[in-house]
Amino acid sequence: MSDMGTLPGWLKPANRVVKLLHRLGVPLGTIHLITIPGRATGEPRSTPVSPLTVNGRRYVIAGLANSNWAENARAAGHGRLSKGRGHEVIDLIEVTDPATRRQVMTAFPTEVPHGVQFFIRIGLVSSGDPAAFAAASDKVAVFEIRRGERSDG
């Protein structure tokens, strides 16, 4: 995986707005909040994500392979996925198989069409064409979401 650099400055304020709307119960399409323990502090860190299902398995994509939430997911291997007032404890398994990553990225524009603009704005792809997303599969982190084995206490 190559590192693309840093995320744009507008992303943190935008994520704050999405998290606030999420807490208020405003429906935001496929957007969920993923909460993962920080790798240094252990404190919960939340970020908006849009899970997608490919071949009966659920996945989530980090637009930058070295983003904080991706690094935290690698370190913790678990977290919580929330939508509205509902949540589930999850395990996060990084997908290293290039073919599976390409499949997931190819499906993204169809499964999460409102998320295409995000990938265009961060410079990962130039269009919503599935082939463009497939070509970028080595620049992102893909995690499979599985029902967690841990208690939520």
Side-chain angles (χ1 to χ4, degrees), residues 15-26:
N15 279 349
R16 279 190 217 111
V17 170
V18 169
K19 288 190 276 189
L20 174 65
L21 292 172
H22 188 271
R23 279 189 213 104
L24 294 173
V26 176

Side-chain angles (χ1 to χ4, degrees), residues 30 50 52 107-120 128 133:
T30 63
S50 289
L52 66 153
F108 188 87
T110 302
E111 296 292 315
V112 190
H114 69 272
V116 169
Q117 248 342 79
F118 170 78
F119 286 99
I120 291 171
F133 273 78

Side-chain angles (χ1 to χ4, degrees), residues 4 20 31-32 34 39 47 49 51 55 80 97 131 143:
M4 290 196 52
L20 174 65
I31 296 176
H32 291 61
I34 193 165
R39 62 193 175 281
T47 195
V49 296
N55 296 328
R80 186 168 81 172
D97 174 53
F143 294 90

Side-chain angles (χ1 to χ4, degrees), residues 11 14-16 24-25 28 37 58 82 86 146:
L11 187 59
N15 279 349
R16 279 190 217 111
L24 294 173
L28 299 169
R58 292 187 305 161
S82 306
R146 294 185 187 164

Side-chain angles (χ1 to χ4, degrees), residues 38 134 138:
D138 65 336

Side-chain angles (χ1 to χ4, degrees), residues 11-104:
L11 187 59
K12 279 190 180 187
N15 279 349
R16 279 190 217 111
V17 170
V18 169
K19 288 190 276 189
L20 174 65
L21 292 172
H22 188 271
R23 279 189 213 104
L24 294 173
V26 176
L28 299 169
T30 63
I31 296 176
H32 291 61
L33 286 185
I34 193 165
T35 304
I36 303 168
R39 62 193 175 281
T41 66
E43 293 295 317
R45 305 287 182 212
S46 297
T47 195
V49 296
S50 289
L52 66 153
T53 302
V54 178
N55 296 328
R57 295 177 182 249
R58 292 187 305 161
Y59 299 93
V60 67
I61 300 168
L64 288 184
N66 65 342
S67 66
N68 280 330
W69 86 258
E71 295 288 348
N72 288 340
R74 285 184 191 102
H78 64 93
R80 186 168 81 172
L81 193 62
S82 306
K83 184 166 175 88
R85 298 191 196 285
H87 67 271
E88 65 178 307
V89 175
I90 59 170
D91 289 330
L92 295 161
I93 298 89
E94 187 163 14
V95 176
T96 57
D97 174 53
T100 303
R101 289 166 36 139
R102 284 182 68 83
Q103 270 190 318
V104 173

